[in-house]
Amino acid sequence: MDFELSEEQRAFQSLAYKFALKEFPPFAQVCDREEKYPREVWQKACEAGLVGIAIPEEYGGPGAGWMETALVTEQLSRIDLGLGLAAVAATFGAENIINYGSEEQKQTYLPLLPAGKAIFAGAYTEPNAGSDVAGTATRAVKDGSDYIINGSKTFITNGTICDYMVALCVTNPESPKKTQRHSLIIVDANTPGITRMKIHGKMGIRSSDTAEITFEDVRVPQKNLVGKEGNGFYQLMHFFDQTRIMVASQGLGLAQGALDLAIKYVQERKTFGLPLAANQAIQFQLAEMATRIELARNIIYKAAWKADNGQLDPALNAMAKFYAGETAVWVTDKALQMHGGYGYIDEYDIQRFYRDAKILEIYEGAKEIEKITIAKRLF
């Protein structure tokens, strides 16, 4: 087994880390406090070649794989999870076009993403349909050559700032199987009848835009259907099987960043005349933090490698996302504890890492859903 990264992979890794070190600090606290989307950071990330890295070369992207995506996501999240989302989630939803879109759709939409000309969103979650994807109720009814969409979505990443979204809609309500009733449809976010409202007061990732979206008689051309009608549920499950690698990498990067902050703090902070780092109890805690992070890194890299080699493993990806999310929450808790009272005020970055971490156990499939995915493949 070869655990060495290729020269190209190391280049992506280094580029992402150096970019985040340079570009994130001026925005991290401000965007968190003001719940402001970092459009300037997104634009610079596009210019640096860090947006849409999995988009094939023929559509303007680098044509990199899931390993490169994992490496870039890890390094950006290491500095700030919310700002990292501005880059890695700018394509969110467009992966469905890569997987199932027509050639016309690929030519039309994909080149816009790495060029910094558009932001996508995945309009999937609804007030009564989160983990129960098949319970999605938004309707798309045929009318001539169009669909007319009615319904509502919530917790939509990039909801108020996106240019396009891929929406999961019921198109075949008469199908006896719930999993064959839905389709994915590309929607121009500025189409009449769409109302977008930003969700305020999130616990973490406040620089990432999250919104509620309402569709009222929204008219969309039927040519915007992604793949085959009635296959939306299966297409979306495949999408989640892939993107869980990216979310797992967010947890890995955030945990590593929290460890970095903890190591720096305990070396500088003195108690009873000695640095905290001289305390063996602190050393033992840091050792366990580093061990859990390395375990997460290994399972994520394995999942990414398998995906790039035609062996996409839903159970392994679920394990990676589940374990990395829990690791991020656990490590940030220990890191904040080492900061003592200083970790509890927003002058210190660790409190933001602590707040950001929890979402990693919730979005892109709550950890309970990951366990179900794993368990189903044990029998």
Side-chain angles (χ1 to χ4, degrees), residues 91-223:
T91 64
F92 192 69
E95 293 85 355
N96 293 294
I97 298 176
I98 297 175
N99 291 336
Y100 300 105
S102 66
E103 184 60 30
E104 180 182 357
Q105 290 171 346
K106 292 176 181 179
Q107 293 283 357
T108 299
Y109 299 106
L110 296 183
L112 302 175
L113 294 162
K117 295 180 179 179
I119 294 172
F120 257 73
Y124 312 132
T125 303
E126 296 186 1
N128 294 311
S131 298
D132 180 16
V133 176
T136 297
T138 296
R139 288 286 189 97
V141 179
K142 289 181 179 178
D143 183 66
S145 61
D146 296 333
Y147 285 112
I148 297 180
I149 302 176
N150 283 280
S152 61
K153 304 289 183 178
T154 193
F155 300 132
I156 305 306
T157 300
N158 299 334
T160 70
I161 52 95
C162 68
D163 301 284
Y164 302 96
M165 63 187 84
V166 175
L168 182 67
C169 305
V170 175
T171 54
N172 302 72
E174 72 288 346
S175 175
K177 291 187 177 181
K178 287 179 65 176
T179 55
Q180 295 178 357
R181 296 174 184 174
H182 300 82
S183 300
L184 294 174
I185 301 172
I186 302 168
V187 181
D188 186 321
N190 295 307
T191 304
I194 296 177
T195 301
R196 301 187 277 174
M197 184 171 66
K198 184 178 178 69
I199 295 175
H200 292 279
K202 292 185 300 183
M203 177 179 174
I205 55 167
R206 293 183 174 183
S207 55
S208 176
D209 182 76
T210 310
E212 295 178 355
I213 300 175
T214 302
F215 301 93
E216 296 182 80
D217 295 328
V218 176
R219 188 172 288 272
V220 178
Q222 287 183 33
K223 69 176 183 178

Side-chain angles (χ1 to χ4, degrees), residues 51-81:
V51 174
I53 62 173
I55 292 175
E57 292 181 8
E58 58 265 37
Y59 306 115
W66 284 105
M67 179 61 81
E68 290 78 12
T69 298
L71 293 168
V72 168
T73 302
E74 175 189 353
Q75 296 306 317
L76 297 179
S77 304
R78 183 177 175 183
I79 306 301
D80 188 84
L81 181 62

Side-chain angles (χ1 to χ4, degrees), residues 100 121 221 260 277 305 351:
Y100 300 105
D260 294 342
W305 182 89
Q351 58 78 34

